[in-house]
Amino acid sequence: MATSMNGDAMISCRDVWKLYGPDPEKFLTHHDGEPSIDTVKDAGYIPAVVAASLDVMPGEILVLMGLSGSGKSTLVRCLSRLIEPTSGSVHFGGVDLLAASGRELIDIRRHRMGMVFQHFALFPHRTVAENIVFPLEVQGVDSAARRARADEILALVGLEGRGGYYPRELSGGQQQRVGIGRSLAVEPDVWFLDEPFSALDPLIRREMQDEFLRLQSVLHKTIVFITHDFSEAIRLADRIAILYEGQIVQLGRAEDLVTQPATDYVRNFARDVQRDRILTARSVMGDVSDAPPDAETVEAGAVLREIAPAVLASPHPLVVIEDGAAVGSLDRDAVIDAVWGANEAEGTHSGAG
Amino acid sequence: MAATVESAAPESLLERFHRTKGWRMALLLLSPYIVIQIIHQAAPGLFPDWLSKLGDFRFLPDWANEALLYVKDEELLGLFNFKDVTRTVSGWLEYPLDLSEQLLISGGDSFGWGPVPWIVIIGLLAGIGALLGGWKLAALAGACSLYLAMFNTFGWGAVPWVVLVGLFAVAGAKLGGWRLALLAGGCSLYLAVFGVWKDSMITLSIVFVVAPLAALIGWASGLAAVKARWFEALLVPVLNVMQSMPHFSYLLPISVFIGIGDEAGAIATIMFAVPPMARLTILGLRSVSPEVREAGLMSGCTKWQMLWRVEMPASRPQLLVGINQVLMQCFGMTVLASFVGTRGLGLPLLNYLQSLRIGKALEVGVAIVLMAIMLDRLGQALGARRPEHIDMTKSWTARHPYWIGGSAVVAAGIVLARLTEYAALLPRGGIVSTDRLWELRLPGTDIVLIDGRKGATVSTEPFWEWMVDWVQLNLKSPLGHIRDFMILEILFPMRDAFQALPWIGLLVLVAAVGWRFGGWRLAAIVALFVAYLAFSGFWIESMETLYLVVAALIVSVVIGVPIGIFASTSDRRYAAVQVILDTFQVLPSFIYLIPVVMLFRVGPVAALTAIVIYATVPAVRYTMLGLRNVPADMIEAAEMSGCTRSQVLRKVKFPMAFPEIMLGMNQVLLFGLLLVIISAFIGGIDGLGDDILLARTEQALVGEGIVAGFNVAVIGLTADQLITNYARERKAQLGID
């Protein structure tokens, strides 16, 4: 990965390490900052984050995806400096976050960051409205302005009329709406969401994901979203980073992970996804010359699920166009292969579906 | 386990020893001790005397005495005199104690602190209230101090009893609905009507002053411990020792430095009530979930804001539990502090017990019980309250019914008290006039249950006297037989056996057990403890105390474990027994002496009975807890394997619950140690309690008393170390926490 910072990125981190153990700084310096995982483990250190580098672009939803213990929570806490990284650099909106003083850090958090937590982390002694405007309160915003903001946020997250309730009087989904509301109260540039929907029932989870997408379509925040659920990741993400034992094993669009998995670990995740919802015409199209010039057209960015009926109904390949220009062709076999025949093509066990 | 299977190397003797279980291990641990005993008995020549009995060492008590006298009379570092410092502190306490007593019972003619005008004090109190608890607390503090100010302005007396009873009821209603209102109102009404109003209000006035102070100190030290590691390292061992010291050990040094009286009792009470608050503060702050903490940080809290707006409020439930404990500890200790002349409910109880007026003692005892229950239930209800949203569409009056109710009670009560003095202050119990106006008889007999005399409050003494007489008449001879049998056949032989123990034998035994459960470190610690006991100059007394506690432990287990098993078998029984245990637990330990004195008068059986009543509570509780905590699927697995109910109990539940039951035994021992000292009061037993009690009256013996009190703590700590280590290891093996 590149070692220089990406100036356009909202968050940019390079070579971030977080080790737990007796004296991690000394250990890292001793190994010139790049020990192998085995060296780390043999020395009795726990590698929570290993040489992580990534850029989060403005307005992008980046999902950190991994199983429990993969270091995704630690990584996001390094990005927000809730946890002090052992080494590496983190830039936030062009500011060197790790060099920021305590006061500066508080200032950044007060105005530019918002975070949603897995178990909601609401303050039990505060009403919903008081929870939501808590970040404003600690800044010293006066109570009239706070009340006005609380009403706005309550409307935004769909909790009108519940401002006077206490968290324990609400359902899980509603509580997380409060958590979301609180994290948005200061209109942050960056929105961290740490497994926000994992503690919810599947139906509510689905509803909250829709709600999240709706909010993002209005707010256009820069988002770092953590999940252990691959289908949630592909549903929400612009890009996905897969973590394994503290390392980012692959970072890319959902489609890339499915079509070009970097490791077996990633392939295992990608195996059970509904490929027709992810793969686009672009990723499975053949040569443009295969299609008759007068054939119907499909957009390169369209997912197979949308265009499959047209392709399958057509006796000849269709033309794939991008920005009005023909860039490729798509026939029945390509679609069928991509959606249903992929497992065999990869030589792994073929499932019934 | 896997490692032992894989390793081909033969098992060492040590490893085999560590895997030995059950009676075999017990035998192994006992063997060095048995060897010592055999040598001791069979070949006395081989066994030097000093290994069995140490000479009469008195250096520790003497040192303690000299140190106390030095600290008391000399100037420390040439700067200040310690006694002056303590007297100054007690001087500070005098003012709030006076004030709160004036407010509740005695009335007063002066308010204002030296040159500070009362209006400033009112403002100050209300301000503190506003700072700590918002406008509600400010209003409360303001109202109280305003009332006080009325003393000299309008010549008002203390708050009329009708107001206080009404306020207790309103508080009960607010915190726990009409049941609690009835309980609190009823209990306080009993106090008012049955002639113990003055004493109970004096006790309450002391509690009102010391409980907030103790809570504040405990909270501050808990906070400091959480924020500074070194302070925690310092504080926690001190808390451990403090909490295993018997109540009396607090009274002794206080009586030296402060003298006797209310202030002495107040200071001892504060010291006694600080440790639980400190512990619960630490626990509460630690239990704030990391996510909530992070949410605070991500909201941009400064350290100060984190503490006050996130950590403190989020640990509120634990803090409230702590405050309830402080309240109950303060109440119990204030009652007990009558031993150093603190007034209140304890003093008459002490006097009546001493003069064997059991009926009167019972009446006061009931008052203490009712007050304890009332305070505890109110405190618990406060702690159990969770915030609830307020329907803002309702009017202000509908939203604050209890404030309005409370104000109405105050206003009506004050008016009523102006109209009739009976509503203001009931005359103290006791006979003012001999004309009996009315009486309540047991139907069909001429036994007077309650008599009402002119100018006096009603008294239940006749009823209690009648009960005591009945017991004496009908139970004296069977009880006497039981007592004589117990003393001659069981207790005395047991005592002799304990006192015949060579100290080196006990040391080796304890060290062996310590080594088994906690390695060399634990072995060294507990061996050190036993060695201390041997050299403290109170070996014989310590053994006397230990024997009584062990005897009580056995009886408590025999009674408590079956009750615990029985109670654990259904949810209803469990809930019912839980309520009973909770009630027993909040009663000041002093109370347990009354029925015992009634049944057995004095002597070791009386003491034993008192300890057993007191210490059976944890035996039942932990047995119940242990059995209830056995995972349901494990029991289902046993049932599906075809176990009968008794097999489930014996083969699954009991082994699983055993570590918890052992922790219960630990508690039984600690409880027993606390009460064995108080039991010394009823006489007839020697041991550490006697030395502590003697020290209360003889200044020259205070050193002895303190060392004896420390011995009690050391016995408790030894048992505590061994048992908790065992339970930890066993629980880890069983995979339960």
Side-chain angles (χ1 to χ4, degrees):
Chain A
M1 285 222 181
T3 48
S4 65
M5 291 291 171
N6 186 329
D8 299 333
M10 195 66 215
I11 302 176
S12 187
C13 78
R14 290 293 175 271
D15 229 8
V16 169
W17 285 78
K18 181 66 192 178
L19 299 183
Y20 289 101
D23 191 352
E25 279 92 3
K26 196 174 156 201
F27 174 80
L28 266 189
T29 346
H30 184 73
H31 289 88
D32 300 326
E34 43 195 23
S36 75
I37 286 280
D38 291 334
T39 323
V40 172
K41 285 183 181 168
D42 289 346
Y45 287 87
I46 301 164
V49 175
V50 175
S53 300
L54 52 79
D55 296 309
V56 190
M57 306 311 286
E60 173 187 44
I61 302 179
L62 177 73
V63 171
L64 302 183
M65 145 70 212
L67 300 181
S68 61
S70 61
K72 54 195 190 305
S73 281
T74 313
L75 177 56
V76 89
R77 278 163 178 73
C78 287
L79 298 184
S80 57
R81 214 179 145 192
L82 280 172
I83 291 178
E84 210 66 43
T86 309
S87 77
S89 60
V90 177
H91 281 217
F92 182 95
V95 181
D96 183 352
L97 199 66
L98 300 185
S101 70
R103 192 67 236 177
E104 287 163 350
L105 189 63
I106 285 177
D107 228 50
I108 291 173
R109 286 176 179 159
R110 279 182 178 179
H111 299 287
R112 308 193 59 185
M113 290 180 179
M115 186 156 177
V116 181
F117 297 88
Q118 181 176 5
H119 300 290
F120 323 140
L122 300 179
F123 305 118
H125 55 286
R126 292 172 167 267
T127 63
V128 165
E130 286 167 352
N131 261 289
I132 286 175
V133 294
F134 181 75
L136 298 175
E137 187 188 316
V138 296
Q139 290 176 26
V141 173
D142 70 80
S143 65
R146 290 205 311 256
R147 213 167 305 137
R149 184 67 183 150
D151 288 340
E152 281 172 41
I153 297 277
L154 283 170
L156 182 71
V157 297
L159 284 174
E160 293 101 330
R162 293 297 169 102
Y165 281 61
Y166 285 88
R168 63 170 190 94
E169 297 177 301
L170 303 181
S171 69
Q174 286 174 322
Q175 289 191 34
Q176 195 56 300
R177 283 170 191 265
V178 180
I180 288 173
R182 179 177 63 190
S183 68
L184 293 175
V186 296
E187 299 185 1
D189 303 329
V190 172
W191 202 13
F192 297 106
L193 297 103
D194 180 10
E195 300 207 32
F197 309 137
S198 306
L200 304 175
D201 292 338
L203 283 178
I204 308 288
R205 192 181 309 160
R206 180 92 193 173
E207 181 191 316
M208 292 297 286
Q209 287 167 358
D210 291 336
E211 182 75 11
F212 168 76
L213 289 173
R214 179 184 72 79
L215 282 172
Q216 174 62 356
S217 69
V218 182
L219 302 169
H220 308 295
K221 301 286 181 201
T222 305
I223 291 172
V224 180
F225 190 109
I226 298 184
T227 183
H228 63 252
D229 177 355
F230 193 65
S231 60
E232 182 169 76
I234 54 181
R235 188 148 185 256
L236 305 180
D238 292 321
R239 286 191 304 155
I240 300 175
I242 307 263
L243 276 92
Y244 178 68
E245 289 196 336
Q247 284 173 298
I248 299 175
V249 290
Q250 190 169 8
L251 195 158
R253 293 174 306 137
E255 205 175 344
D256 302 337
L257 300 184
V258 172
T259 53
Q260 296 145 28
T263 64
D264 283 345
Y265 185 73
V266 179
R267 182 169 298 133
N268 269 331
F269 277 121
R271 183 188 290 165
D272 294 329
V273 300
Q274 292 174 296
R275 303 168 71 92
D276 56 335
R277 286 174 185 273
I278 295 169
L279 298 182
T280 56
R282 188 189 300 115
S283 63
V284 294
M285 66 191 181
D287 199 68
V288 70
S289 57
D290 292 349
D294 59 341
E296 298 95 296
T297 59
V298 290
E299 284 290 337
V303 292
L304 296 186
R305 180 175 205 122
E306 290 167 17
I307 54 175
V311 178
L312 295 182
S314 162
H316 51 81
L318 303 188
V319 175
V320 179
I321 56 166
E322 185 154 31
D323 298 330
V327 289
S329 68
L330 197 56
D331 63 9
R332 284 183 200 172
D333 290 349
V335 170
I336 291 168
D337 257 8
V339 178
W340 288 288
N343 289 344
E344 274 168 327
E346 283 163 17
T348 51
H349 175 73
S350 160
Chain B
M1 284 298 280
T4 31
V5 174
E6 281 164 23
S7 68
E11 220 174 5
S12 76
L13 207 63
L14 219 111
E15 281 168 335
R16 262 171 70 183
F17 176 71
H18 256 279
R19 287 201 306 119
T20 317
K21 290 214 175 65
W23 62 269
R24 254 181 257 215
M25 185 190 64
L27 210 64
L28 266 169
L29 291 175
L30 271 169
S31 57
Y33 170 72
I34 293 168
V35 169
I36 288 175
Q37 272 294 16
I38 289 171
I39 299 174
H40 181 52
Q41 301 292 336
L46 274 174
F47 200 77
D49 259 2
W50 61 269
L51 275 179
S52 113
K53 291 276 172 298
L54 285 161
D56 202 12
F57 287 107
R58 279 292 170 195
F59 56 91
L60 270 178
D62 290 345
W63 285 353
N65 250 331
E66 274 172 36
L68 272 178
L69 286 177
Y70 179 82
V71 172
K72 182 179 151 195
D73 297 328
E74 306 289 322
E75 297 201 333
L76 287 178
L77 309 169
L79 288 173
F80 56 88
N81 183 313
F82 192 70
K83 193 172 171 184
D84 289 344
V85 175
T86 53
R87 294 264 149 106
T88 314
V89 172
S90 92
W92 291 342
L93 274 174
E94 199 177 328
Y95 177 71
L97 281 175
D98 265 4
L99 212 60
S100 119
E101 191 183 323
Q102 284 174 13
L103 180 68
L104 288 179
I105 185 73
S106 60
D109 44 18
S110 63
F111 182 64
W113 196 355
V116 187
W118 58 265
I119 191 88
V120 175
I121 297 179
I122 294 177
L124 215 65
L125 282 175
I128 293 171
L131 207 71
L132 291 177
W135 69 268
K136 290 179 180 173
L137 205 59
L140 206 64
C144 284
S145 36
L146 193 68
Y147 189 93
L148 278 167
M150 294 301 128
F151 282 156
N152 53 354
T153 319
F154 299 110
W156 288 8
V159 178
W161 69 268
V162 281
V163 171
L164 285 176
V165 171
L167 284 181
F168 274 123
V170 171
K174 173 159 173 69
L175 296 176
W178 64 270
R179 280 166 200 270
L180 194 57
L182 217 60
L183 181 92
C187 286
S188 49
L189 193 66
Y190 174 94
L191 299 178
V193 173
F194 289 108
V196 284
W197 184 249
K198 181 160 185 195
D199 288 323
S200 35
M201 284 307 109
I202 291 175
T203 295
L204 198 63
S205 75
I206 298 175
V207 170
F208 277 177
V209 172
V210 294
L213 282 173
L216 198 70
I217 297 171
W219 169 80
S221 32
L223 178 64
V226 171
K227 296 291 168 192
R229 214 130 260 234
W230 64 268
F231 189 74
E232 189 184 7
L234 209 70
L235 183 71
V236 170
V238 173
L239 293 183
N240 286 342
V241 175
M242 278 177 92
Q243 285 192 302
S244 47
M245 296 268 271
H247 315 52
F248 267 107
S249 318
Y250 290 81
L251 296 176
L252 293 177
I254 298 294
S255 67
V256 174
F257 291 116
I258 317 281
I260 57 173
D262 292 352
E263 287 82 21
I267 290 180
T269 306
I270 291 173
M271 285 171 60
F272 185 66
V274 162
M277 186 70 197
R279 262 186 213 286
L280 280 157
T281 306
I282 296 175
L283 188 75
L285 288 174
R286 290 265 153 81
S287 67
V288 175
S289 91
E291 271 198 350
V292 168
R293 225 180 273 274
E294 285 175 346
L297 284 176
M298 288 304 285
S299 301
C301 284
T302 60
K303 273 190 176 162
W304 191 249
Q305 286 172 330
M306 273 301 283
L307 178 63
W308 287 104
R309 299 191 189 204
V310 178
E311 292 170 332
M312 271 307 156
S315 59
R316 201 179 108 119
Q318 274 89 1
L319 292 183
L320 284 176
V321 170
I323 285 173
N324 188 39
Q325 282 206 8
V326 166
L327 193 67
M328 298 322 294
Q329 300 268 32
C330 282
F331 178 68
M333 191 67 177
T334 308
V335 170
L336 198 71
S338 57
F339 278 93
V340 291
T342 304
R343 293 170 311 142
L345 284 168
L347 210 51
L349 178 57
L350 192 65
N351 292 334
Y352 292 138
L353 273 180
Q354 261 165 344
S355 52
L356 285 178
R357 286 182 66 188
I358 313 286
K360 217 47 189 154
L362 274 168
E363 194 179 55
V364 179
V366 169
I368 294 177
V369 168
L370 289 181
M371 197 156 162
I373 291 176
M374 177 178 84
L375 289 179
D376 178 59
R377 292 294 134 83
L378 286 175
Q380 275 192 15
L382 181 69
R385 244 157 54 98
R386 295 290 176 266
E388 226 167 75
H389 73 276
I390 304 158
D391 188 354
M392 292 307 277
T393 55
K394 287 188 189 163
S395 64
W396 192 88
T397 46
R399 278 184 276 130
H400 300 94
Y402 301 110
W403 282 90
I404 292 165
S407 311
V409 163
V410 172
I414 290 174
V415 171
L416 206 62
R418 300 272 91 190
L419 296 177
T420 161
E421 62 181 44
Y422 281 99
L425 190 64
L426 285 166
R428 191 172 187 172
I431 299 155
V432 175
S433 147
T434 47
D435 325 333
R436 197 176 274 181
L437 289 179
W438 57 273
E439 59 188 27
L440 182 67
R441 286 165 187 274
L442 197 66
T445 66
D446 56 353
I447 296 160
V448 179
L449 292 180
I450 301 173
D451 66 5
R453 291 168 207 262
K454 188 164 186 282
T457 52
V458 286
S459 168
T460 49
E461 188 185 359
F463 168 73
W464 299 115
E465 284 298 347
W466 166 77
M467 208 172 90
V468 173
D469 287 346
W470 187 88
V471 167
Q472 288 293 322
L473 206 65
N474 294 289
L475 297 180
K476 192 172 184 186
S477 121
L479 284 175
H481 286 306
I482 294 175
R483 187 181 63 189
D484 294 346
F485 174 79
M486 287 281 292
I487 291 178
L488 293 176
E489 303 300 327
I490 299 173
L491 292 180
F492 280 179
M494 195 172 161
R495 183 190 67 187
D496 294 343
F498 267 78
Q499 288 183 342
L501 285 179
W503 65 270
I504 192 78
L506 191 67
L507 188 140
V508 169
L509 174 65
V510 164
V513 177
W515 178 73
R516 169 65 183 78
F517 294 122
W520 293 114
R521 216 180 99 88
L522 184 62
I525 292 174
V526 290
L528 207 67
F529 282 164
V530 177
Y532 161 80
L533 290 178
F535 285 88
S536 67
F538 287 103
W539 174 255
I540 292 292
E541 288 85 347
S542 300
M543 286 304 105
E544 172 112 25
T545 298
L546 186 63
Y547 113 79
L548 201 57
V549 172
V550 170
L553 173 80
I554 295 168
V555 182
S556 294
V557 169
V558 169
I559 299 174
V561 171
I563 296 179
I565 292 173
F566 172 77
S568 69
T569 46
S570 94
D571 288 345
R572 266 201 23 225
R573 282 182 209 152
Y574 178 74
V577 172
Q578 192 86 45
V579 169
I580 297 171
L581 293 182
D582 287 347
T583 309
F584 267 96
Q585 191 127 43
V586 300
L587 304 184
S589 39
F590 205 5
I591 285 293
Y592 293 89
L593 298 184
I594 306 173
V596 169
V597 170
M598 182 170 97
L599 294 175
F600 296 109
R601 299 284 149 148
V602 295
V605 176
L608 182 76
T609 313
I611 302 170
V612 166
I613 301 176
Y614 189 54
T616 301
V617 172
V620 177
R621 188 190 294 283
Y622 280 76
T623 306
M624 218 161 71
L625 210 70
L627 291 173
R628 298 280 298 186
N629 282 349
V630 178
D633 52 2
M634 212 170 278
I635 295 167
E636 283 168 3
E639 280 167 351
M640 288 310 286
S641 308
C643 283
T644 62
R645 276 180 64 167
S646 94
Q647 280 173 326
V648 172
L649 183 68
R650 279 184 295 120
K651 293 184 184 295
V652 179
K653 281 186 174 179
F654 214 74
M656 286 295 289
F658 197 68
E660 196 69 35
I661 295 175
M662 281 308 285
L663 286 179
M665 299 305 102
N666 190 24
Q667 287 296 309
V668 170
L669 264 177
L670 294 181
F671 274 50
L673 281 170
L674 292 185
L675 208 71
V676 78
I677 305 308
I678 300 171
S679 307
F681 168 71
I682 57 180
I685 51 167
D686 306 314
L688 297 170
D690 237 25
D691 290 289
I692 298 177
L693 272 179
L694 270 179
R696 179 177 58 92
T697 45
E698 292 276 342
Q699 290 257 327
L701 291 176
V702 166
E704 267 88 349
I706 287 175
V707 173
F710 201 64
N711 279 23
V712 175
V714 166
I715 295 174
L717 286 172
T718 310
D720 184 64
Q721 287 289 324
L722 293 179
I723 296 176
T724 45
N725 271 289
Y726 158 78
R728 193 179 308 135
E729 183 191 306
R730 188 76 190 124
K731 278 186 172 182
Q733 282 172 357
L734 292 174
I736 42 181
D737 37 59

